[in-house]
Amino acid sequence: MKTGVKILSMQLHCFFSGLVQGVGFRHTARKLARELGVKGWVMNLPDGRVELVAEADDEVLASFLERLRGFFRAYIQHEDLRWGDVSGEFSDFGVRF
């Protein structure tokens, strides 16, 4: 009998700072999230940061985060990442205003 790797569903709550507003960050995050099946939201904050909450399997979240970093490597100066339990409250991924 084969034993598989257990995939954990997780929540990522992240604050990105740097030149992350006005560069298409939110819309790119939404596009990538929908491609990968990530649920949650992304929003610009008044202090210039972008806040993101994402829920998916751990491997999917890792891919999502790496792809975001790849697109915005020149703009992200700092990330504040917080990992937690999935809430299950999201049915899709959207942009909040």
Side-chain angles (χ1 to χ4, degrees):
M1 179 176 180
K2 285 186 171 182
T3 59
V5 174
K6 185 175 181 181
I7 298 174
L8 302 174
S9 291
M10 302 182 76
Q11 183 184 89
L12 169 64
H13 190 171
C14 188
F15 296 88
F16 295 95
S17 59
L19 300 172
V20 290
Q21 292 189 14
V23 294
F25 193 102
R26 293 175 300 160
H27 297 288
T28 301
R30 181 179 59 193
K31 180 179 182 290
L32 290 174
R34 290 181 174 173
E35 287 174 8
L36 295 170
V38 174
K39 311 293 186 215
W41 53 267
V42 63
M43 174 174 73
N44 283 347
L45 297 176
D47 64 5
R49 295 179 300 157
V50 171
E51 181 178 10
L52 179 140
V53 174
E55 294 185 348
D57 294 339
D58 56 353
E59 292 178 4
V60 173
L61 283 179
S63 176
F64 176 62
L65 187 55
E66 284 305 312
R67 290 178 70 182
L68 270 177
R69 287 172 174 157
F71 276 107
F72 297 102
R73 183 168 324 270
Y75 303 100
I76 297 170
Q77 292 177 352
H78 181 74
E79 299 173 357
D80 179 7
L81 304 175
R82 301 170 189 174
W83 298 92
D85 296 329
V86 66
S87 71
E89 67 182 278
F90 309 113
S91 60
D92 64 359
F93 193 95
V95 175
R96 289 190 176 177
F97 297 93

